[in-house]
Every structure is written in structure tokens, then in C-alpha cells.
Amino acid sequence: MNDQIRPQPGIMEIDLYVGGQSQVPGHSEPIKLSSNENPAGPSDKAKEAFSRAVHRLNRYPSTGHATLRHAIGEVHGLDPDRILCGAGSDEIISFLCQAYAGPGDEVVFTEHGFLMYRVYTHAAGATPVCVAERDRVTDVDAILAACTRRTRLVFVANPNNPTGTMIPLAEIERLAAGLPPQALLVIDGAYAEFVEGYDGGAELATRLPNVFMMRTFSKIYGLGGLRVGWGYGARSVIDVLNRVRGPFNLSSAQQETAEAAVRDQDWIARCRSENARLRGWLTEALAERGVPADTSFANFILARFTSEDEANACDAFLRQDGLIVRRVGGYGLAECLRITIGDEPACRRVAHMIGQFKAGAAQ
């Protein structure tokens, strides 16, 4: 290896991201509850749009995503000119860090926040600042205390992954009001659609110039395999981000499928209702089996065990039955397992098997 060919500072501080596993040896069709996917998948209208897109694969896609941005704006009551689209919200996180953070700057996020905040902070050469949560809930006062004149970005996922907890919009607004003037607050609303009546911070991002909101089509819309996300904020911020965005970062298939998906809000309402029903059922079922969880506002629950050893043993027990859940030691929650809300048979099966595990451990 040539020692003189070196990556930029911060790159080698990045731990490789490990996604939710999808295979278990000995099980040809395991039940995957590790990646917070919508078990119902995308709507029929989205599937039809994707099928139609195959006839235009020889054509370059739109560079400005105008049709998709207008559809998002129409559905959510937002100005399309203040919307930016990306390959999942992950890419928008990278745009934000690339555009606003660098050597000597700090990026703030909470201790159980999405791992990609840290990854893209290091990639930009900036310094990550991890702030403690209070009982797995975002602590606004702790974030404000951590901010300095070097703070450029503050990421808050609401609801948060992997905890499932969230804070009121009034607390988000208090945070925005207390930030230093050079800092941009980024509300990550990847799971916003699972909360009835919650706008994900859209009204704040409309009204406050230092607030930016991100959303994704990977979760409730069932388009994780296509990677489509969007952001919304001040026009000045959108202008900056568009300068680092590649001109063809979304394919025609991505744009057209996402447009059909966002226009089918009846499907989203059904998915939200079914997720809430099964989330409540699974939370109660696990509590009855001695496994508590905080109130979740997303499409997963964070099951808490007595120790890391017990959590790992339960994970291994579930895998023997072809059930894949997510270990979250990388999030500082080694004693927990994150369990996606699947369909009803999957929820009943995972609850039964955890009950079997706890019963066996007690003997």
C-alpha cells in the first residue's frame, strides 16, 4: 500500500454501517423484522408506475424532479421550490454535512440517533458531538448545552430510530429558538407518517429559516428498495444543497413511482392504522412476557431485556425459528432488540417465541 495515498481526515474514523440482516442459515424464507420495512409493501398505484417506467429506461431522468416535487408539495401543502429530492434521506444527510460542515465544525446529534449522522460528519471532516438522551428520549436542554460557536448542524430524529420515542413540536421549536445563529436544525421525519396528525416539522420548517425537515419513501410508502427521500426548508438552503447534488441522482423509475405513492394517501392511512393496531398489540404482548418497551411512535418497538447477554440469547433463539430482529449494540443499546412491526402472523409468532424464550430462561 502506498502510504502517501491517504484519505481525508475523518474517513478512517467511520465504522462500516451494518444493515438489518435478511438471511438465516437453514431457513429459506425467514421472517425479516430487522429493517423497519412496511410488510404490506407499496400501493398498487406505485407498483403500476414502476412497471410503466421500464419502457423509458433509455432516457435520462429529469434533473430537477419537478413533477415529484410538485406532487409532494400538493399532498403536504408545501412550496415545491423549497423541496429537494435525494436517493433516500441518507443522501440528503450527506448533502447537508458536505455543504455546511467541515474541519473545525461540529455536528450535534443524540446518543441513540441514526448512525449515518456520525458517518457523514466524519466524511465531511467535521467533529461529531453526541449528546445524552433522558431515558431514551431526546433531551432539548442537553442539546442546547452541547452547542457552541462551532456547531453547524443539529440532527434530531422525531420519532427517533431505534428508540421509537418522540418529543412534542413545542420542544422542537424551543430547540430551534435556542440554537446559535450559525446552526441549522435538521428534523429527521423518516417515521413521521406513522404518527396520526403529525406534520413531521413541516410547519416549523416553513416558518423558521434555521429549520430543515427530511422525509423518506422507504418506510410507510414501502419503497425501501428504490431509495427516494426528500427535504424541505428555506429556499437559500435548497439552493445550497442543489449545488452539491448530482444532476441525475434519482432515476425516472424512482421519481415516477414515488409520485404515484405519495398521491395514494388512502393506502398510507390504511398502513398507518394497521401499524398502530399491531404495534399496540405487540407492545402489550411482550410486556406480559416480561419484556418492556417504551411507547413507540414508529413502525417498530425497542424491546428491553435485563442484560446484553439475555438480548443476544433471545436473538439467537429467534433466529433458530427463522425470525430476524435487529441487535442495536451499535446504538448504545446492547440490552435491547429492535423489532419491526410485521403483519399479524409475524407479530404473533415473534411474541410467542419470545414468551417461549423467557419461560425457558426462567427454568
Side-chain angles (χ1 to χ4, degrees):
M1 180 178 178
N2 189 335
D3 290 339
Q4 296 183 28
I5 300 176
R6 301 173 182 173
Q8 291 288 339
I11 300 297
M12 298 310 295
E13 301 298 321
I14 298 172
D15 294 324
L16 294 177
Y17 183 84
V18 179
Q21 295 185 6
S22 58
Q23 299 296 324
V24 176
H27 295 271
S28 59
E29 295 184 4
I31 296 175
K32 184 185 177 188
L33 302 174
S34 58
S35 296
N36 301 340
E37 297 154 332
N38 183 346
S43 73
D44 287 342
K45 293 178 181 178
K47 294 176 186 176
E48 291 167 4
F50 182 76
S51 297
R52 290 193 299 270
V54 72
H55 301 293
R56 295 180 299 281
L57 295 183
N58 60 318
R59 303 300 183 188
Y60 276 92
S62 162
T63 62
H65 318 135
T67 303
L68 175 56
R69 289 189 293 104
H70 277 83
I72 293 170
E74 181 180 325
V75 169
H76 293 286
L78 303 175
D79 180 356
D81 290 338
R82 296 176 62 174
I83 294 173
L84 172 93
C85 297
S89 53
D90 293 24
E91 187 179 39
I92 296 174
I93 297 171
S94 75
F95 294 159
L96 287 161
C97 291
Q98 182 182 356
Y100 289 104
D105 297 327
E106 295 176 344
V107 177
V108 176
F109 48 84
T110 65
E111 63 178 316
H112 304 312
F114 186 36
L115 293 177
M116 297 309 292
Y117 306 149
R118 180 184 295 274
V119 168
Y120 287 123
T121 297
H122 279 306
T127 301
V129 177
C130 186
V131 177
E133 296 176 8
R134 182 179 300 172
D135 296 326
R136 297 166 302 280
V137 178
T138 297
D139 186 336
V140 168
D141 290 320
I143 292 174
L144 290 173
C147 290
T148 71
R149 60 181 177 82
R150 298 172 60 192
T151 304
R152 298 299 305 277
L153 293 167
V154 176
F155 286 100
V156 173
N158 203 47
N160 190 31
N161 170 33
T163 63
T165 59
M166 68 181 295
I167 59 175
L169 282 172
E171 280 291 277
I172 298 285
E173 183 167 7
R174 183 168 73 87
L175 173 58
L179 291 181
Q182 78 284 351
L184 178 66
L185 173 61
V186 181
I187 307 172
D188 186 346
Y191 298 91
E193 286 86 358
F194 292 102
V195 185
E196 185 72 39
Y198 175 54
D199 74 352
E203 190 274 335
L204 292 179
T206 299
R207 179 162 49 88
L208 303 178
N210 68 334
V211 175
F212 186 86
M213 178 189 72
M214 298 188 306
R215 304 283 275 272
T216 184
F217 284 89
S218 295
K219 303 306 178 184
I220 202 168
Y221 287 99
L223 297 179
L226 276 190
R227 313 304 300 124
V228 184
W230 58 282
Y232 173 77
R235 292 192 183 194
S236 58
V237 174
I238 298 298
D239 176 66
V240 168
L241 300 184
N242 270 322
R243 295 172 186 271
V244 299
R245 177 181 64 83
F248 301 110
N249 63 321
L250 286 187
S251 69
S252 297
Q254 288 171 294
Q255 295 180 52
E256 293 165 18
T257 306
E259 180 192 353
V262 77
R263 291 191 182 282
D264 194 353
Q265 288 297 308
D266 288 342
W267 177 255
I268 298 309
R270 288 196 293 272
C271 290
R272 181 189 303 114
S273 176
E274 185 68 355
N275 177 79
R277 181 180 74 85
L278 291 172
R279 182 181 62 203
W281 181 89
L282 184 58
T283 301
E284 292 183 8
L286 293 188
E288 291 170 358
R289 291 159 174 79
V291 180
D294 297 317
T295 299
S296 173
F297 295 88
N299 68 331
F300 57 85
I301 61 173
L302 186 68
R304 302 203 309 276
F305 293 84
T306 58
S307 66
E308 179 179 357
D309 288 343
E310 186 186 36
N312 291 342
C314 184
D315 179 53
F317 184 81
L318 294 175
R319 287 173 182 272
Q320 291 176 0
D321 194 56
L323 287 161
I324 308 174
V325 298
R326 182 72 180 270
R327 294 187 186 185
V328 284
Y331 285 93
L333 294 161
E335 75 285 0
C336 300
L337 295 175
R338 193 190 68 189
I339 305 173
T340 301
I341 306 302
D343 59 18
E344 185 158 352
C347 288
R348 292 189 177 277
R349 183 167 168 182
V350 74
H352 173 73
M353 294 308 299
I354 290 177
Q356 294 288 101
F357 168 78
K358 293 291 285 186
Q363 293 179 356

